Amino acid sequence: MAQDEEKSIDQLNEEADIAADYLEGLLDIADYDGDIEMGVRNNRATVQIVADDDTDIKHLIGKNGEVVDALQQLTRLAVQQKTGERSHLIVDVDGFLKRKRQYLRDIALDAIDDVKETGEPVDLKPMNSFERKIVHDVVREEGLKSRSHGEEPRRYVTIYLKANNEDEDSEQE
């Protein structure tokens, strides 16, 4: 399948099913109680591990989400092994990614306010590709520009105003 082609809802549901089975197996091995919720969002299969008692499940998030990132990579590999195709599924634990998105959105909006106030570009701290994409999306929604710089793992986003000739709808005169 070409990278630009979107997967069908059936293919995405199949990915979610495979991922859920894989994660249920891992939960059993770790002896963690958790339910698996599956879905499709933005043309990606999503799988979330949720639990009533969040004591154990917090270990599946890890410091700064390192464990949930690793779970996502392993789960993507398990799906790829079964389907023969690369997967971009999202694995979340106990709403961690939702909280992370909101945190990153807040950081981006604060930086956007600084850029609008001073007219000067603002560099954010280094982020992974997931985090940078969220920031780029917020910046675009707010009508500014952003660009990633640097090398992994120190890659970061710079936010700046659009040049007047780039934004015909600019309110500046």
Side-chain angles (χ1 to χ4, degrees), residues 86-108:
R86 188 168 181 209
S87 173
H88 295 284
L89 79 94
I90 301 294
V91 174
D92 194 5
V93 176
D94 198 36
F96 172 77
L97 292 180
K98 182 178 182 181
R99 293 188 302 274
K100 180 87 170 192
R101 277 188 197 95
Q102 185 58 53
Y103 170 76
L104 292 166
R105 183 173 179 74
D106 291 345
I107 286 175

Side-chain angles (χ1 to χ4, degrees), residues 119-137:
E120 296 296 317
V122 171
D123 294 337
L124 300 179
K125 66 180 178 64
M127 300 177 181
N128 65 36
S129 62
F130 166 79
E131 296 166 334
R132 290 192 310 271
K133 178 168 181 355
I134 291 169
V135 170
H136 288 305
D137 289 348

Side-chain angles (χ1 to χ4, degrees), residues 48-94:
Q48 179 161 194
I49 301 171
V50 293
D52 293 333
D53 176 14
D54 62 359
T55 307
D56 285 339
I57 209 138
K58 296 293 185 202
H59 297 299
L60 296 177
I61 296 172
K63 182 180 177 188
N64 298 320
E66 286 129 352
V67 176
V68 73
D69 287 345
L71 280 175
Q72 179 170 280
Q73 294 305 318
L74 289 170
T75 305
R76 285 178 175 178
L77 288 171
V79 170
Q80 182 176 347
Q81 183 182 22
K82 292 263 190 183
T83 65
E85 294 180 5
R86 188 168 181 209
S87 173
H88 295 284
L89 79 94
I90 301 294
V91 174
D92 194 5
V93 176
D94 198 36

Side-chain angles (χ1 to χ4, degrees), residues 23-36 49 60:
L23 290 168
E24 283 175 353
L26 286 178
L27 289 175
D28 287 345
I29 290 168
D31 197 27
Y32 285 178
D33 289 327
D35 293 323
I36 306 290
I49 301 171
L60 296 177

Side-chain angles (χ1 to χ4, degrees), residues 1 3 7 31 36 40 52-53 64 78 91 111 157 159 171:
M1 171 179 281
Q3 191 171 1
K7 293 183 178 181
D31 197 27
I36 306 290
V40 174
D52 293 333
D53 176 14
N64 298 320
V91 174
V157 174
I159 300 171
E171 295 178 15

